Amino acid sequence: MNNATPYETALQQIRETGFALHELVLYLDTHPANRKALSLYKTYKKKYDELYAAFEKNHGPLTAFGVHGDRWTWTEHPWPWQNCLCTPGENARLRKGDN
């Protein structure tokens, strides 16, 4: 991704790794004894979990299910489908529809 922000790059890596995982799951559904595919699944699953954790640490929750702790932080960061990197205040305004 040329000229991609760190946010966009991290999100794209999660998408790509998630796609590979999904394809491996489909393959393993029909070939459950394939050790090589299972090993590859484990490798991609570990990478996906690391990318996901790093994204949430650096950019906030990727889904509402990623909120942890004593505060509801889902509304403090841009949602993954928003194409701008907004400050928390700008993000809250956009979510309310105040352009």
Side-chain angles (χ1 to χ4, degrees), residues 5-75:
T5 65
Y7 178 92
E8 293 166 333
T9 300
L11 194 56
Q12 185 62 27
Q13 290 174 333
I14 290 170
R15 288 178 183 143
E16 291 170 359
T17 306
F19 177 83
L21 269 175
H22 183 72
E23 292 297 312
L24 284 164
V25 165
L26 294 174
Y27 182 82
L28 285 165
D29 282 349
T30 58
H31 301 81
N34 187 314
R35 290 179 185 252
K36 186 175 179 180
L38 182 58
S39 176
L40 194 56
Y41 169 82
K42 289 178 182 179
T43 298
Y44 274 87
K45 177 67 168 102
K46 181 180 180 201
K47 181 179 178 181
Y48 181 84
D49 290 344
E50 290 168 355
L51 290 168
Y52 201 96
F55 181 93
E56 289 194 331
K57 178 181 177 189
N58 295 319
H59 305 289
L62 190 55
T63 69
F65 301 124
V67 175
H68 306 285
D70 297 332
R71 292 183 30 238
W72 185 250
T73 58
W74 178 238
T75 57

Side-chain angles (χ1 to χ4, degrees), residues 75 79 82 88-99:
T75 57
W79 286 325
Q82 289 178 312
E90 290 172 320
N91 188 47
R93 190 183 79 247
L94 287 172
R95 289 186 185 187
K96 291 177 186 172
D98 302 335
N99 295 325

